[in-house]
Amino acid sequence: MDQTLAIVVGLFIAMGIFLLLSRSLIRMLLGLTIFGNGVNLLIFTGGRLTREAAPIVAPGLDQPAGIIANPLPQALILTAIVIGFAMFSFLLVLAFRAYQTLDADNTDNMRVAEPADAPNPPLSY
Amino acid sequence: MAVPADFPAMIETATPASEWVIVLPVALALLGSAILVMLRKGSAILAVLSGLVILAMIACEIALILRIVEVGPVSMTMGKWLPPFGISFTADLFGAVFALAAAVVTLFVLIYAEADRPPEARGDGFHGMLLLLLAGVTGSFLTGDLFNLYVWFEVMLIASFGLLVLGGRPIQLDGAVKYGFLNFLATSFFLLSLGLLYGLVGTLNMADILQVAPSANPAAMTAVAGLLLLAFGMKAAAFPVNNWLPASYHAPPAAVAALFAGLLTKVGIYALLRALVVVLPASRDLLEPVLALVAIATLVIGPLGAIAETNLRRAVGFMLIGGIGAVMAGIAIPNAAGVGGAGLYILHAMVSMAAFYLVLGIIERRTGQVDSRQMGGIYASNTAISILFFVLMLAIAGLPPFLGFWPKLLLIEGGLTMGGWTGGLLVGAILVNAALTLIAGSRLWAHIFWRPAPQEQEPKSAIWPREWVRGGAAALLTVIVVAAGLWPNPLFEVVRTGAADMLDSSRYVEAFGLRGDGS
């Protein structure tokens, strides 16, 4: 199971980076999301996979009776998913605004902040 | 539900009130941010409220520093769970002093922004986001848990996104796209390395990692440290991954750019300092050639970019990158002088860079241009601004008697103590950086102030009160730079204690109460 998930994580991260290398903003956004999901799965796998019980203490006991699943990675992933979703939403809106204002969803054509035909610096004092 | 008396993972006694000073700054900033977002239509009250919140934060941070001087690093763990289960806030002297510097810088930037923002910008939520950014920065400086650090990074990131696009000019949207994608990718890399680290050592509490890390696989730990280097290097704009910074820092209004230049990259490089020097020292030793290489490249390429650039704020963005190289050099030099120099440089860059960007904002306002070739002749019409620019430029290049001189001196001393090829090359790169920064800066000064204006301009005189307030905010920050440079002894005390605590983390670990419980 660990190996399968490790392969999936590798695939996700490779796909994410591949998409991030493209020029279209929407493809880059999808790449970021897939990358983020790969990272979340990696944390999940890093917390060790067990087929044991849920991390809940039975009534009347002070601590769980047997082996339980590790709850910490789940808490970490939950936080990361929420944050990642917020960032994704913001960047999606930003990409749309950039498309409206700059008339470009291709990063090659987004040259307002860094003009392509920037002149040489002054050659004297 | 009653907690059994012998349950080991819980804190039994109430947290003493004196320990609350460590969480109060962050709590105040978050609370203030929430209130200011709710009140965002009330125009005049917002600046006063946010100023009061920042003043309260400064008071808390001073109390925290006094306490750290008295008893050593302070730690507080949330929710009655003992570390490593509960999330800890831990401050040693460096973290607390940086948090104080961040609050002071934000206060002056707030004053500047009040005099700079157009009336139609009222109600856009600027003040709420300003405090949220400060909350993220302060949280990053004071946290003792790597996952918590990730969360504060994201708080900082989302607030900086908001500030960057505020106003919505096309150049801002363009800059924000590049800034947003690359910074979000950097935090994703950070999270990736956290996942691997958790898989390796089973904990993310910094002091706990310190205890577990020596028994983990050193090769795997170095891979994690390398990923952390990439992630924090991207955040801090170290050489191969720096190009988002000059692409975005000239887009927003000057006040926002000053805040970013003063705080954001410094948090990134501070996180790198803490992660590599304190938490994973063994991996830092293995990565030392890489660190030295990145430091030298950043030191040299930063100011070269500044020489080749005509846009004023982009040129200074490259100078800022050169400064990051100086801190990287300190991380590559593993002795007290090197680490202390890195810490002092962070402090210097926070104040000097923020002040410098404020001065750039005044110059842009005065000339109505962003390109240094279109500027000129300000020396005749406004000598004060030209002196501010000159002083800050000398401070950033590292000339005495200004604050920038002392960290570079410490770094050079550290490099010479370290000796060998690496130490020698690092010292050489620091000197080359100083010379190149001086060339770039003095050339900008000559173009902007010294030579006559390219076209006839109406000589503008200062208009009370807005221009005076803007100039005053920049001047007061500059006064800090000059005063700290002339009277550096208190700072050297801070540096000595801070660097000692970073290199020998026993006091840091003790603050968590982890020692001796056998876990």
Side-chain angles (χ1 to χ4, degrees):
Chain A
M1 190 63 184
D2 290 28
Q3 286 85 343
T4 324
L5 268 179
I7 292 169
V8 173
V9 168
L11 272 178
F12 269 39
I13 289 180
M15 271 166 65
I17 291 186
F18 175 75
L19 284 172
L20 271 167
L21 291 175
S22 72
R23 293 185 184 83
S24 156
L25 278 187
I26 296 298
R27 283 168 69 93
M28 285 167 68
L29 258 182
L30 292 177
L32 265 187
T33 312
I34 294 174
F35 187 93
N37 279 315
V39 173
N40 288 343
L41 269 180
L42 179 135
I43 298 176
F44 188 63
T45 319
R48 304 293 183 274
L49 303 171
T50 46
R51 286 182 194 234
E52 308 303 331
I56 293 172
V57 182
L61 291 181
D62 283 341
Q63 48 186 330
I67 302 172
I68 54 167
N70 186 353
L72 189 63
Q74 301 180 18
L76 300 186
I77 293 168
L78 190 60
T79 315
I81 287 175
V82 174
I83 293 175
F85 182 69
M87 295 292 167
F88 174 77
S89 325
F90 180 87
L91 287 177
L92 187 64
V93 175
L94 181 68
F96 183 63
R97 263 304 288 276
Y99 171 67
Q100 279 187 322
T101 312
L102 309 172
D103 197 23
D105 70 341
N106 183 326
T107 45
D108 276 357
N109 297 336
M110 303 178 76
R111 307 293 314 203
V112 185
E114 296 171 288
D117 52 346
N120 285 332
L123 297 173
S124 65
Y125 263 92
Chain B
M1 197 174 77
V3 178
D6 59 343
F7 198 67
M10 302 294 267
I11 296 167
E12 296 305 322
T13 51
T15 311
S18 56
E19 287 190 10
W20 284 84
V21 285
I22 186 168
V23 276
L24 263 182
V26 182
L28 278 171
L30 284 176
L31 197 68
S33 157
I35 291 173
L36 287 175
V37 168
M38 281 191 286
L39 296 177
R40 70 179 182 281
K41 297 292 178 199
S43 57
I45 193 174
L46 293 177
V48 179
L49 262 182
S50 42
L52 286 177
V53 170
I54 297 173
L55 281 177
M57 289 173 72
I58 291 177
C60 286
E61 279 150 4
I62 290 175
L64 178 63
I65 290 172
L66 292 179
R67 192 169 156 72
I68 293 172
V69 168
E70 196 182 326
V71 300
V74 181
S75 177
M76 179 182 171
T77 306
M78 309 294 138
K80 284 183 79 179
W81 290 62
L82 274 178
F85 300 107
I87 289 174
S88 295
F89 265 51
T90 311
D92 62 1
L93 204 48
F94 268 170
V97 169
F98 294 156
L100 177 66
V104 171
V105 165
T106 313
L107 187 64
F108 285 110
V109 169
L110 176 74
I111 294 170
Y112 180 96
E114 268 332 289
D116 196 44
R117 281 155 51 76
E120 66 269 17
R122 295 220 172 105
D124 57 3
F126 170 81
H127 297 90
M129 283 189 275
L130 184 86
L131 279 187
L132 192 62
L133 184 78
L134 187 58
V137 170
T138 314
S140 308
F141 282 140
L142 298 182
T143 189
D145 182 288
L146 282 177
F147 192 79
N148 200 227
L149 181 63
Y150 161 76
V151 175
W152 290 122
F153 264 44
E154 297 283 19
V155 169
M156 213 163 71
L157 193 55
I158 198 83
S160 63
F161 283 172
L163 286 172
L164 193 55
V165 296
L166 219 58
R169 290 179 301 134
I171 187 174
Q172 284 177 295
L173 292 172
D174 190 359
V177 167
K178 286 150 191 171
Y179 175 88
F181 271 92
L182 285 167
N183 274 280
F184 187 35
L185 185 64
T187 36
S188 296
F189 273 120
F190 180 26
L191 190 60
L192 181 74
S193 53
L194 287 188
L196 292 171
L197 189 64
Y198 182 74
L200 282 169
V201 298
T203 178
L204 289 174
N205 184 299
M206 290 188 196
D208 205 28
I209 294 172
L210 261 169
Q211 305 200 306
V212 188
S215 58
N217 178 352
M221 290 301 276
T222 306
V224 170
L227 264 174
L228 282 176
L229 174 62
L230 173 64
F232 292 142
M234 261 174 108
K235 281 266 157 207
F239 162 57
V241 281
N242 61 354
N243 279 318
W244 58 269
L245 192 148
S248 60
Y249 272 26
H250 65 301
V256 173
L259 202 59
F260 285 10
L263 305 186
L264 296 185
T265 50
K266 306 307 169 298
V267 173
I269 200 73
Y270 166 78
L272 187 65
L273 184 69
R274 179 151 302 276
L276 289 189
V277 176
V278 182
V279 182
L280 303 168
S283 310
R284 194 216 66 88
D285 294 347
L286 285 171
L287 280 176
E288 194 171 285
V290 184
L291 281 167
L293 208 63
V294 172
I296 292 168
T298 314
L299 276 167
V300 175
I301 285 170
L304 280 182
I307 292 178
E309 192 54 69
T310 54
N311 183 309
L312 178 58
R313 264 205 264 169
R314 287 189 67 178
V316 177
F318 278 107
M319 288 191 195
L320 173 60
I321 293 171
I324 293 299
V327 187
M328 292 284 303
I331 299 174
I333 298 170
N335 53 35
V339 173
L344 190 55
Y345 199 96
I346 294 177
L347 196 64
H348 144 70
M350 282 170 93
V351 184
S352 305
M353 270 300 167
F356 206 33
Y357 268 86
L358 292 185
V359 171
L360 299 188
I362 296 171
I363 296 169
E364 286 183 1
R365 269 298 164 108
R366 183 157 273 277
T367 57
Q369 301 288 342
V370 295
D371 196 322
S372 61
R373 287 167 307 155
Q374 313 294 326
M375 299 171 177
I378 308 180
Y379 185 74
S381 65
N382 195 336
T383 319
I385 296 297
S386 75
I387 293 174
L388 283 186
F389 186 101
F390 199 68
V391 165
L392 288 168
M393 187 268 290
L394 292 183
I396 287 162
L399 263 67
F402 306 114
L403 178 54
F405 171 65
W406 302 107
K408 285 204 169 160
L409 191 68
L410 274 175
L411 285 172
I412 289 171
E413 184 194 331
L416 292 178
T417 318
M418 182 190 181
W421 272 100
T422 329
L425 281 176
L426 282 170
V427 169
I430 289 169
L431 294 174
V432 168
N433 169 272
L436 288 177
T437 309
L438 200 59
I439 291 173
S442 51
R443 206 167 73 139
L444 280 177
W445 192 83
H447 277 146
I448 300 166
F449 297 103
W450 199 246
R451 70 169 178 188
Q455 65 264 24
E456 273 310 307
Q457 285 169 337
E458 281 290 300
K460 292 181 193 165
S461 56
I463 309 153
W464 175 262
R466 284 189 152 228
E467 185 145 338
W468 279 89
V469 172
R470 286 202 293 263
L476 283 175
L477 272 178
T478 315
V479 165
I480 296 180
V481 174
V482 176
L486 290 175
W487 190 41
N489 274 346
L491 285 178
F492 272 106
E493 287 300 314
V494 168
V495 163
R496 203 165 295 137
T497 321
D501 273 342
M502 281 210 148
L503 289 168
D504 171 23
S505 44
S506 56
R507 288 214 303 171
Y508 187 78
V509 176
E510 250 170 60
F512 282 86
L514 272 171
R515 188 96 334 148
D517 61 357
S519 60

